[in-house]
Each structure stands twice: as C-alpha cells, then as structure tokens.
Amino acid sequence: MNKVLVHTLTARLLHWLNMLAITLLTLSGFYIHAPLVFSVFPSMDKARLIHFTFMYIVIFSVGFRIFYAFRQGEAGEIAFHPRDIKGIPGLIRYYLFVSDRMPDYGKFNPGQKAMYTAWALLIGVQGITGFILYWPGPLGYLGYLLGGLAMVRLVHYLITWIFVCTVIVHVYLVFISGFEVFKSMITGYIPQNQAHGGQ
Ligand code: HEM
C-alpha cells in the first residue's frame, strides 16, 4: 500500500508540544482555580510554576505553528475562510449518517478548520487575559477596560472549558477516523486511500 506524507516532522513535534502544554496549563489552571476540589498537584507553588513555565511554551509552540503554516504555504489549508461555510452542510450530512461519504475537502474539512482557527484565536485571548492576571500592575488599565480582574479571570477560566470540550471532540473524531489517522501524527504517513481523514 502506497503511503503519503501528511504531517512533516516539525508539524508533528509542534502538535505534541501543543498537546502537552495545553494539558498541563489546563490541569494546573484548574488546580489554581480550586486547589481543594482539583488537587492534582502537591502545592500551589508547583502548580503555578508549571502554569508560568508552560504559558511561555504554548505561546512559542502555537506562534511557531502559525509561522510554520505560512512558511509552508499551508495556512489556507488549515485556517477557516468564509468560503468554507458552503462545505458545512455536506459535513453535517456525513456526521448525521445521512450521507455515507464525506465530501472531498482536501487536507482538512471545514469543521477541522473552524476548530484549529478558533484554538489559535483562543490561545491569543488566554495570552492576553493570562498576562493581565500575571502583571496586574503594568497591565491593570487593560484589565479595567475589559471589566476588571474578576471578569478577566472568569473569561480565562471559561475559555479553559471551551478547550476541554473541543479537545474531547477532537480526540473522539480522531478515534472514530481509525488507527491510521492517529498513527499519521506519529509517523507522518498515511495510506494513500485514507489521505483525507476527518479528525
Ligand atoms: C497563553 C498564556 C497563558 C498565560 C499568560 C496564563 C496566565 C495565567 C495566570 C497569571 C493565572 C493566575 C495564576 C494565579 O493566580 O496564581 C492563570 C490562571 C489560570 N489559567 Fe492560565 N495562562 C495562560 C494559558 C492558559 C491556558 C492555555 C489555559 C487552559 C486551556 C489556562 C487555564 C487557566 C486556569 C483554569 C486558571 C485559573 C483561573 C481561575 O483562578 O479562575 N491558562 N493563568
């Protein structure tokens, strides 16, 4: 069976680095939010150290992934564009089992593009709200414009839940797309007849 390269080594490394960073930011963030309820770290100091380390790492890994997408000329394949809207009914028909074939969208379908674009934007919002919480002195005025520190903290917390829910959907869709799709994010290659998956 012929195999085709679908994810370069750089894209794969950045994917797993993003996954690690977002997982640790979510776990440490939930601990910071409610240490007695979500006690997965030995102390607040440790949770904050993890959070404050991985906030820089996620900004680097997501920022570099965006730069890399443009450098590879694949940004148009990944980012959602208003013209992708017309592809959504076909995708819904497929997921509702009304049609048994996913339309051929190319590398990513409109649902994936919408999710990846939203993640990039939401990491931007987490960066802005997070740094307001981190430097409430110098960035206090910005926090005030956004409704005060309590509001900034609430937004940062609620976006975390958007990540939790959408990552669960993402993992579920990879799971139902089959093992080859999952494996392609490790090896880079997928059998030619499955080259356009649906995670
Ligand atoms: C992108 C850069 C980020 C920065 C600069 C940042 C910064 C911060 C800071 C300074 C705090 C407060 C810590 C404290 O009070 O001790 C915090 C809390 C938190 N962060 Fe982040 N963070 C970032 C990304 C993320 C991400 C990606 C997630 C999850 C997807 C996340 C989830 C949380 C949660 C749940 C809290 C607790 C909020 C609360 O107390 O209600 N953070 N973050």
Side-chain angles (χ1 to χ4, degrees), residues 8-157:
T8 63
L9 179 63
T10 307
R12 280 177 276 146
L13 289 175
L14 289 171
H15 172 272
W16 294 115
L17 185 59
N18 282 328
M19 190 212 75
L20 178 73
I22 288 172
T23 303
L24 289 176
L25 283 163
T26 301
L27 294 176
S28 57
F30 279 156
Y31 181 91
I32 293 165
H33 180 79
L36 297 180
V37 180
F38 200 80
S39 52
V40 289
F41 288 91
S43 69
M44 184 58 84
D45 281 355
K46 296 251 165 32
R48 294 181 94 206
L49 178 67
I50 296 281
H51 207 82
F52 298 160
T53 305
F54 278 87
M55 70 190 193
Y56 291 110
I57 294 177
V58 85
I59 287 170
F60 163 78
S61 58
V62 172
F64 190 59
R65 184 65 185 90
I66 294 170
F67 163 79
Y68 183 69
F70 280 102
R71 217 203 68 163
Q72 294 291 96
E74 59 173 8
E77 273 182 346
I78 303 176
F80 190 84
H81 187 278
R83 70 171 163 264
D84 294 315
I85 292 173
K86 64 177 185 309
I88 292 177
L91 187 66
I92 294 176
R93 275 196 296 277
Y94 172 73
Y95 281 132
L96 291 182
F97 307 104
V98 176
S99 96
D100 55 2
R101 278 204 65 235
M102 176 165 330
D104 189 358
Y105 294 113
K107 187 165 178 181
F108 297 119
N109 69 50
Q112 291 172 291
K113 288 176 162 186
M115 192 128 89
Y116 303 154
T117 307
W119 280 343
L121 294 173
L122 289 176
I123 285 293
V125 180
Q126 289 297 69
I128 293 167
T129 50
F131 273 110
I132 293 172
L133 297 173
Y134 196 59
W135 290 315
L139 297 181
Y141 190 64
L142 189 55
Y144 167 76
L145 290 179
L146 295 175
L149 282 187
M151 176 59 81
V152 169
R153 187 178 166 203
L154 181 65
V155 170
H156 198 78
Y157 176 68

